[in-house]
Amino acid sequence: MFCNQCEQAAKGTGCEVIGVCGKNPEVAALQDLMLYGLKGIAIYADKARELGAKDETVDLFLIEGLFTTVTNVDFDPVSLAGKLRKCYDSKEKIKAIYETAYRTKNGASAPAITTGPAAWVIADNLEGLVKQGKEHGINTQNSDQDVLSAIEILIYGLKGMAAYADHAFILGKKDEEVFAFFHKALAATADTSKGLMDFVGLAMECGKLNIKVMGMLNEGHIAHYGKPVPTKVQLGTRKNKGILVSGHDLRMLEELLKQTEGKGIDIYTHGEMLPAHAYPELKKYSHLYGNFGGAWQDQHKEFPNFPGAIIFNTNCIQRPADSYKDRLFSWGQVGWPGIKHITGWNFSEVINKALECPDLADAPDKEILTGFGHDAVLGVADKVIDGVKAGAIKHFFLIGGCDGAKPGRNYYTELAEKVPSDCVILTLACGKYRFNKLEFGDIGGIPRLLDVGQCNDAYSALQIALALAGAFNCGVNDLPLSIILSWYEQKAVVILLSLLHLGIKNIKIGPALPAFITPNVLNFLVENFNLGPITTPEADLKVALGQ
């Protein structure tokens, strides 16, 4: 196997024996084959769309298939084999749709595609699928390392955007331009006539489309659950049965809240679910009690101490320990061998397991704030602007992104702690767990630490930055704003592409730069955007504050 798509890639180059995330070579091969098969779908879907033909079930499967290959999603070879069968069937379906459309328009049969992913014929057993996957790994995509690097940036951006598009689709939000771009961009990665700048252009376009997707998801959240409001969240537990929900999907949480109402079960959030407490239509449930634990990488230490049922609704799952394996469930695209997977919206099995488990301890703890989306922040924009003009607020720091287990991430804790008291920190995603339990105080009643939300709420952070730029009649790059990101997986990649599409410069990223970026591609990013790695908290603060 070879996989270099996440920040924790072994030796800073790539995992070759077993994934740091926990996937084995068999799963890695099946995921590589999924990507290959999805390219076949994209080739035919792109051609069909040019002729005015399409199929929404195929469009949606391509998004779900890409999401399946994101880090820490599906580790179950049986599940992946089933999805590969659906992938092949979807390819054949859109192939037939394309051929019919071509024949209708041209009065002749479409030219046959006899090579590449469009011509893929699925193996008839798991062993055969694994063999096929090993033949179509990352490094087979292009022999030119710089072109391969640009292709990988694009593909990982598409994977990240697929996760957000999947969440949006669950909330009823979809867009034809988005579907069409997925097909065009993924098909291009199989086109040997494309060069380096073709993929650079597509990567920037991916960043552009991702802003639209994150906007769709934001609209879906607000339409269903209202605008987030600043909310205090309990970090302790109370004596009752409990279910812990980890992931990102709010619709799944809502359904679980409905089905547990009046059953003596408290619902706790974990990881990226923390911001759910800020939505009015979710916080109205009195049994949405608190947030348990921190970021995803600590689950193996924290979950043994949660005696209730646990369910993952999106990526971030790790190899479960025996101490909680029997009360762990997955949903959506998530899967782990031997873990019960819930299909659909009936959570009775999870609820029954929670009722069988012991009560949680009566152990209240401190409260932390979340819910500072762009509507909440812009609602006090006049105070923020006045604070800047009066010199009370000297600088804004956006410190957020993915957390992870690799050494070096204490940098983000130290950085937040060293940010001067006349500066405001915006944060989002699970990277905030590095410092969101610390006390930062306020400036004129405005909390110095503003939790914007999940990783997809980078949309809100962008809206805040754009609004401030408008208020001060300047560009975002002219604001007293520094963006310092932590990354782990592919959703962070597409958010970076969105920032670059907007022309935002001087971003620092860490703990390490992506292993899939070659020196030449990195030089391009440095020359055009001044993108660079984090160094030390002290040095980066001096640069940010112009000292």
Side-chain angles (χ1 to χ4, degrees), residues 276-332:
H277 292 270
Y279 288 90
E281 290 302 307
L282 295 176
K283 66 185 294 184
K284 72 181 183 182
Y285 292 95
S286 60
H287 61 301
L288 178 60
Y289 179 68
N291 189 76
F292 184 91
W296 65 271
Q297 77 276 0
D298 291 328
Q299 62 193 259
H300 64 287
K301 294 186 292 186
E302 296 172 343
F303 286 6
N305 300 317
F306 186 88
I310 305 167
I311 184 167
F312 278 88
N313 64 34
T314 58
N315 64 307
C316 293
I317 195 169
Q318 286 182 306
R319 179 188 297 278
D322 291 339
S323 60
Y324 59 87
K325 192 173 184 179
D326 65 326
R327 47 194 173 85
L328 181 64
F329 299 83
S330 62
W331 180 88

Coordinates of all heavy atoms in Angstrom, one line a residue, residues 276-332:
A276 N -23.3 21.7 17.9 CA -24.8 21.4 17.8 C -25.5 22.1 18.9 O -26.7 22.4 18.8 CB -25.0 19.9 17.8
H277 N -24.9 22.3 20.1 CA -25.6 22.8 21.2 C -26.0 24.3 21.0 O -26.9 24.8 21.7 CB -24.6 22.8 22.5 CG -24.3 21.5 23.0 ND1 -25.1 20.8 23.9 CD2 -23.4 20.6 22.6 CE1 -24.6 19.6 24.2 NE2 -23.5 19.4 23.4
A278 N -25.5 24.9 20.0 CA -25.8 26.3 19.7 C -27.0 26.6 18.8 O -27.5 27.7 18.7 CB -24.6 27.0 19.1
Y279 N -27.5 25.5 18.2 CA -28.7 25.7 17.3 C -30.0 25.6 18.1 O -30.3 24.6 18.8 CB -28.6 24.6 16.2 CG -27.5 24.7 15.2 CD1 -26.3 24.2 15.4 CD2 -27.8 25.5 14.1 CE1 -25.3 24.3 14.5 CE2 -26.8 25.7 13.1 CZ -25.5 25.1 13.3 OH -24.5 25.2 12.4
P280 N -30.8 26.6 17.9 CA -32.1 26.7 18.7 C -33.0 25.5 18.6 O -33.5 25.0 19.6 CB -32.8 27.9 18.1 CG -31.6 28.8 17.7 CD -30.6 27.9 17.2
E281 N -33.1 24.9 17.4 CA -34.0 23.7 17.3 C -33.4 22.4 17.8 O -34.0 21.4 17.8 CB -34.4 23.6 15.8 CG -35.3 24.7 15.3 CD -36.6 24.8 16.1 OE1 -37.3 23.8 16.3 OE2 -36.9 25.9 16.6
L282 N -32.1 22.5 18.1 CA -31.5 21.3 18.8 C -31.4 21.5 20.3 O -31.7 20.6 21.1 CB -30.1 21.0 18.2 CG -30.1 20.6 16.7 CD1 -28.7 20.4 16.2 CD2 -30.9 19.3 16.5
K283 N -31.0 22.7 20.7 CA -30.9 23.0 22.1 C -32.2 23.0 22.9 O -32.2 23.0 24.1 CB -30.1 24.3 22.3 CG -30.8 25.6 21.9 CD -29.9 26.8 22.0 CE -29.6 27.1 23.5 NZ -28.8 28.3 23.6
K284 N -33.3 23.0 22.1 CA -34.6 23.0 22.8 C -34.9 21.6 23.5 O -35.7 21.5 24.4 CB -35.7 23.3 21.8 CG -36.0 22.2 20.8 CD -37.1 22.6 19.8 CE -37.4 21.4 18.9 NZ -38.5 21.8 17.9
Y285 N -34.1 20.6 23.1 CA -34.2 19.3 23.7 C -33.4 19.3 25.0 O -32.2 19.4 25.0 CB -33.7 18.2 22.8 CG -34.5 18.0 21.5 CD1 -34.2 18.6 20.3 CD2 -35.6 17.2 21.6 CE1 -35.0 18.4 19.2 CE2 -36.4 17.0 20.4 CZ -36.1 17.6 19.3 OH -36.9 17.4 18.1
S286 N -34.1 19.2 26.1 CA -33.5 19.3 27.4 C -32.5 18.2 27.7 O -31.6 18.3 28.5 CB -34.5 19.4 28.5 OG -35.3 18.2 28.5
H287 N -32.7 17.1 27.0 CA -31.8 15.9 27.2 C -30.5 16.0 26.3 O -29.7 15.0 26.3 CB -32.5 14.6 27.1 CG -33.1 14.3 25.7 ND1 -34.0 15.1 25.1 CD2 -32.9 13.3 24.8 CE1 -34.4 14.6 24.0 NE2 -33.7 13.5 23.8
L288 N -30.4 17.0 25.5 CA -29.1 17.3 24.9 C -28.3 18.0 25.9 O -28.3 19.2 26.1 CB -29.2 18.2 23.6 CG -27.9 18.6 22.9 CD1 -27.2 17.4 22.4 CD2 -28.2 19.6 21.8
Y289 N -27.5 17.2 26.7 CA -27.0 17.7 28.0 C -25.7 18.4 27.9 O -25.5 19.5 28.5 CB -27.0 16.5 29.0 CG -26.5 17.0 30.4 CD1 -27.2 17.9 31.2 CD2 -25.2 16.6 30.8 CE1 -26.7 18.3 32.4 CE2 -24.7 17.0 32.0 CZ -25.5 17.9 32.8 OH -25.0 18.3 34.0
G290 N -24.7 17.7 27.3 CA -23.4 18.3 27.4 C -22.4 17.7 26.3 O -22.9 17.0 25.4
N291 N -21.2 18.1 26.5 CA -20.1 17.6 25.6 C -19.1 16.7 26.4 O -18.7 17.2 27.4 CB -19.4 18.7 24.9 CG -18.4 18.2 23.8 OD1 -18.9 17.9 22.7 ND2 -17.1 18.2 24.1
F292 N -18.9 15.5 25.9 CA -18.0 14.6 26.6 C -16.7 14.4 25.9 O -16.7 14.1 24.7 CB -18.7 13.2 26.8 CG -17.9 12.2 27.6 CD1 -18.0 12.2 29.0 CD2 -16.9 11.4 27.0 CE1 -17.3 11.2 29.7 CE2 -16.2 10.5 27.8 CZ -16.4 10.4 29.1
G293 N -15.6 14.6 26.5 CA -14.3 14.4 25.9 C -13.8 15.6 25.0 O -14.4 16.6 25.0
G294 N -12.8 15.3 24.2 CA -12.2 16.3 23.4 C -12.2 15.9 21.9 O -13.2 15.5 21.4
A295 N -11.1 16.0 21.3 CA -10.9 15.7 19.9 C -10.9 14.2 19.6 O -10.7 13.4 20.5 CB -9.7 16.4 19.3
W296 N -11.0 13.9 18.3 CA -11.2 12.5 17.9 C -10.1 11.6 18.3 O -10.3 10.4 18.6 CB -11.4 12.5 16.3 CG -10.1 12.9 15.6 CD1 -9.8 14.1 15.2 CD2 -9.0 12.0 15.2 NE1 -8.6 14.2 14.6 CE2 -8.1 12.9 14.6 CE3 -8.8 10.7 15.3 CZ2 -6.9 12.4 14.0 CZ3 -7.6 10.2 14.8 CH2 -6.7 11.0 14.1
Q297 N -8.8 12.1 18.3 CA -7.7 11.2 18.5 C -7.6 10.7 20.0 O -6.8 9.8 20.2 CB -6.4 11.9 18.1 CG -5.8 12.9 19.1 CD -6.5 14.3 18.9 OE1 -7.3 14.5 18.0 NE2 -6.0 15.2 19.7
D298 N -8.4 11.3 20.9 CA -8.4 10.8 22.3 C -9.5 9.8 22.6 O -9.6 9.5 23.8 CB -8.5 12.1 23.2 CG -7.2 12.9 23.1 OD1 -6.1 12.4 22.9 OD2 -7.3 14.1 23.3
Q299 N -10.2 9.4 21.6 CA -11.4 8.5 21.9 C -11.0 7.2 22.6 O -11.7 6.7 23.4 CB -12.1 8.2 20.6 CG -11.4 7.5 19.5 CD -12.1 7.5 18.2 OE1 -12.7 6.5 17.8 NE2 -12.0 8.6 17.5
H300 N -9.8 6.7 22.2 CA -9.4 5.4 22.8 C -9.1 5.6 24.3 O -9.1 4.6 25.1 CB -8.2 4.8 22.1 CG -6.9 5.7 22.2 ND1 -6.8 6.9 21.5 CD2 -5.8 5.5 22.9 CE1 -5.6 7.4 21.8 NE2 -5.0 6.6 22.7
K301 N -8.8 6.8 24.7 CA -8.5 7.1 26.2 C -9.8 7.5 26.9 O -10.0 7.2 28.1 CB -7.5 8.2 26.3 CG -6.1 7.9 25.8 CD -5.1 8.9 26.2 CE -5.4 10.2 25.4 NZ -4.3 11.2 25.6
E302 N -10.7 8.2 26.2 CA -11.9 8.7 26.8 C -13.1 7.8 26.8 O -13.9 7.8 27.7 CB -12.3 10.1 26.1 CG -11.2 11.1 26.3 CD -11.4 12.4 25.5 OE1 -12.2 12.3 24.5 OE2 -10.8 13.4 25.8
F303 N -13.3 7.1 25.7 CA -14.5 6.3 25.5 C -14.7 5.2 26.6 O -15.8 4.9 27.0 CB -14.6 5.7 24.1 CG -15.0 6.7 23.0 CD1 -15.1 8.1 23.3 CD2 -15.2 6.3 21.7 CE1 -15.5 9.0 22.4 CE2 -15.6 7.2 20.7 CZ -15.7 8.6 21.1
P304 N -13.6 4.6 27.0 CA -13.8 3.6 28.1 C -14.4 4.2 29.4 O -15.0 3.5 30.2 CB -12.3 3.1 28.4 CG -11.6 3.3 27.1 CD -12.2 4.6 26.6
N305 N -14.3 5.5 29.5 CA -14.9 6.2 30.7 C -16.3 6.7 30.5 O -16.9 7.2 31.4 CB -14.0 7.4 31.1 CG -12.6 6.9 31.4 OD1 -12.4 5.9 32.1 ND2 -11.6 7.7 31.0
F306 N -16.9 6.4 29.3 CA -18.3 6.7 29.0 C -19.1 5.4 29.0 O -18.9 4.6 28.1 CB -18.4 7.4 27.6 CG -19.8 7.9 27.4 CD1 -20.2 9.2 27.8 CD2 -20.8 7.1 26.7 CE1 -21.5 9.7 27.6 CE2 -22.0 7.6 26.5 CZ -22.4 8.9 26.9
P307 N -19.9 5.2 30.0 CA -20.5 3.9 30.2 C -21.7 3.6 29.3 O -22.3 2.5 29.2 CB -21.0 3.9 31.6 CG -21.2 5.4 31.9 CD -20.2 6.1 31.1
G308 N -22.2 4.6 28.5 CA -23.4 4.4 27.7 C -23.0 4.0 26.3 O -21.9 3.5 26.0
A309 N -24.0 4.1 25.4 CA -23.8 3.8 24.0 C -23.1 4.9 23.2 O -23.2 6.1 23.6 CB -25.2 3.5 23.3
I310 N -22.4 4.6 22.2 CA -21.6 5.5 21.4 C -21.9 5.3 19.9 O -21.9 4.2 19.5 CB -20.1 5.3 21.7 CG1 -19.8 5.4 23.2 CG2 -19.3 6.4 20.9 CD1 -18.4 4.9 23.6
I311 N -22.0 6.4 19.2 CA -22.3 6.3 17.7 C -21.5 7.3 17.0 O -21.5 8.5 17.4 CB -23.8 6.3 17.4 CG1 -24.1 6.1 15.9 CG2 -24.4 7.6 17.9 CD1 -25.5 5.8 15.6
F312 N -20.9 6.9 15.9 CA -20.2 7.8 14.9 C -21.1 8.0 13.7 O -21.6 7.0 13.2 CB -18.9 7.1 14.4 CG -17.8 7.3 15.4 CD1 -17.5 6.4 16.4 CD2 -16.9 8.4 15.3 CE1 -16.5 6.6 17.3 CE2 -15.8 8.6 16.2 CZ -15.6 7.7 17.2
N313 N -21.3 9.3 13.4 CA -22.1 9.5 12.2 C -21.3 10.1 11.0 O -21.9 10.2 9.9 CB -23.3 10.4 12.5 CG -22.9 11.8 13.0 OD1 -21.9 12.4 12.5 ND2 -23.7 12.4 13.9
T314 N -20.0 10.4 11.2 CA -19.2 10.7 10.1 C -17.7 10.3 10.5 O -17.5 9.7 11.5 CB -19.2 12.2 9.7 OG1 -18.8 13.0 10.8 CG2 -20.6 12.7 9.2
N315 N -16.8 10.7 9.6 CA -15.4 10.3 9.9 C -14.8 10.7 11.2 O -15.3 11.7 11.8 CB -14.5 10.8 8.7 CG -14.4 12.3 8.7 OD1 -15.4 13.0 8.6 ND2 -13.2 12.9 8.6
C316 N -13.8 10.0 11.6 CA -13.1 10.3 12.9 C -13.0 9.0 13.7 O -12.3 9.0 14.8 CB -13.6 11.4 13.7 SG -13.4 13.0 13.0
I317 N -13.5 7.9 13.2 CA -13.5 6.6 14.0 C -12.1 6.1 14.0 O -11.3 6.2 13.0 CB -14.5 5.6 13.5 CG1 -14.7 4.5 14.5 CG2 -14.0 5.0 12.1 CD1 -15.9 3.6 14.2
Q318 N -11.7 5.5 15.2 CA -10.4 4.8 15.3 C -10.7 3.3 15.7 O -11.8 3.0 16.0 CB -9.6 5.4 16.4 CG -9.0 6.7 16.1 CD -8.1 7.2 17.3 OE1 -8.6 7.3 18.4 NE2 -6.9 7.5 17.1
R319 N -9.7 2.5 15.6 CA -9.8 1.1 16.1 C -10.4 1.1 17.5 O -9.8 1.6 18.4 CB -8.5 0.4 16.1 CG -8.6 -1.1 16.5 CD -7.2 -1.7 16.7 NE -6.5 -1.7 15.4 CZ -6.7 -2.7 14.5 NH1 -7.5 -3.6 14.7 NH2 -6.0 -2.6 13.3
P320 N -11.6 0.5 17.7 CA -12.2 0.6 19.0 C -11.5 -0.4 20.0 O -11.1 -1.5 19.6 CB -13.6 0.2 18.8 CG -13.6 -0.7 17.5 CD -12.5 -0.1 16.7
A321 N -11.5 -0.1 21.2 CA -11.0 -1.0 22.3 C -12.1 -1.9 22.7 O -13.3 -1.7 22.6 CB -10.5 -0.2 23.5
D322 N -11.7 -3.1 23.2 CA -12.7 -4.1 23.6 C -13.6 -3.6 24.7 O -14.7 -4.0 24.8 CB -12.0 -5.4 24.1 CG -11.3 -6.1 23.0 OD1 -11.7 -5.9 21.8 OD2 -10.4 -6.9 23.2
S323 N -13.1 -2.6 25.5 CA -13.9 -2.1 26.6 C -15.1 -1.4 26.2 O -16.1 -1.2 27.0 CB -13.0 -1.2 27.5 OG -12.6 -0.1 26.7
Y324 N -15.2 -0.9 25.0 CA -16.5 -0.2 24.6 C -17.0 -0.7 23.2 O -18.0 -0.2 22.7 CB -16.3 1.3 24.6 CG -15.2 1.8 23.7 CD1 -15.4 2.1 22.3 CD2 -13.9 2.1 24.1 CE1 -14.5 2.6 21.5 CE2 -12.9 2.6 23.3 CZ -13.2 2.9 22.0 OH -12.2 3.4 21.2
K325 N -16.3 -1.7 22.6 CA -16.7 -2.2 21.3 C -18.1 -2.7 21.2 O -18.8 -2.5 20.2 CB -15.7 -3.3 20.9 CG -15.7 -3.7 19.4 CD -14.6 -4.7 19.1 CE -14.6 -5.0 17.6 NZ -13.5 -6.0 17.3
D326 N -18.6 -3.3 22.3 CA -19.9 -3.9 22.2 C -21.0 -2.9 22.3 O -22.2 -3.2 22.1 CB -20.1 -4.9 23.4 CG -20.0 -4.3 24.8 OD1 -19.3 -3.3 24.9 OD2 -20.8 -4.7 25.7
R327 N -20.7 -1.6 22.7 CA -21.7 -0.6 22.7 C -21.4 0.6 21.7 O -21.9 1.7 21.9 CB -21.8 0.0 24.2 CG -20.5 0.3 24.8 CD -20.7 0.5 26.3 NE -19.4 0.6 27.0 CZ -18.7 1.7 27.1 NH1 -19.2 2.9 26.6 NH2 -17.6 1.8 27.7
L328 N -20.6 0.2 20.7 CA -20.3 1.2 19.7 C -21.1 0.9 18.4 O -21.2 -0.2 18.0 CB -18.8 1.1 19.4 CG -18.2 2.1 18.4 CD1 -18.3 3.6 18.8 CD2 -16.7 1.8 18.1
F329 N -21.5 2.0 17.7 CA -22.3 1.9 16.5 C -21.7 2.9 15.5 O -21.1 3.9 15.8 CB -23.8 2.2 16.8 CG -24.5 1.3 17.7 CD1 -24.3 1.5 19.1 CD2 -25.2 0.2 17.3 CE1 -25.0 0.7 20.0 CE2 -25.8 -0.6 18.2 CZ -25.7 -0.4 19.6
S330 N -22.0 2.6 14.2 CA -21.7 3.5 13.2 C -22.9 3.8 12.3 O -23.9 3.0 12.3 CB -20.5 2.9 12.3 OG -20.9 1.7 11.6
W331 N -22.8 4.9 11.6 CA -24.0 5.3 10.7 C -23.4 6.1 9.6 O -22.3 6.6 9.6 CB -24.9 6.2 11.6 CG -26.1 6.7 10.8 CD1 -27.3 6.1 10.7 CD2 -26.2 8.0 10.1 NE1 -28.2 6.9 9.9 CE2 -27.5 8.0 9.6 CE3 -25.3 9.0 9.9 CZ2 -27.9 9.1 8.8 CZ3 -25.7 10.1 9.2 CH2 -27.0 10.2 8.6
G332 N -24.2 6.2 8.5 CA -23.7 6.9 7.3 C -22.6 6.2 6.6 O -22.7 5.0 6.3

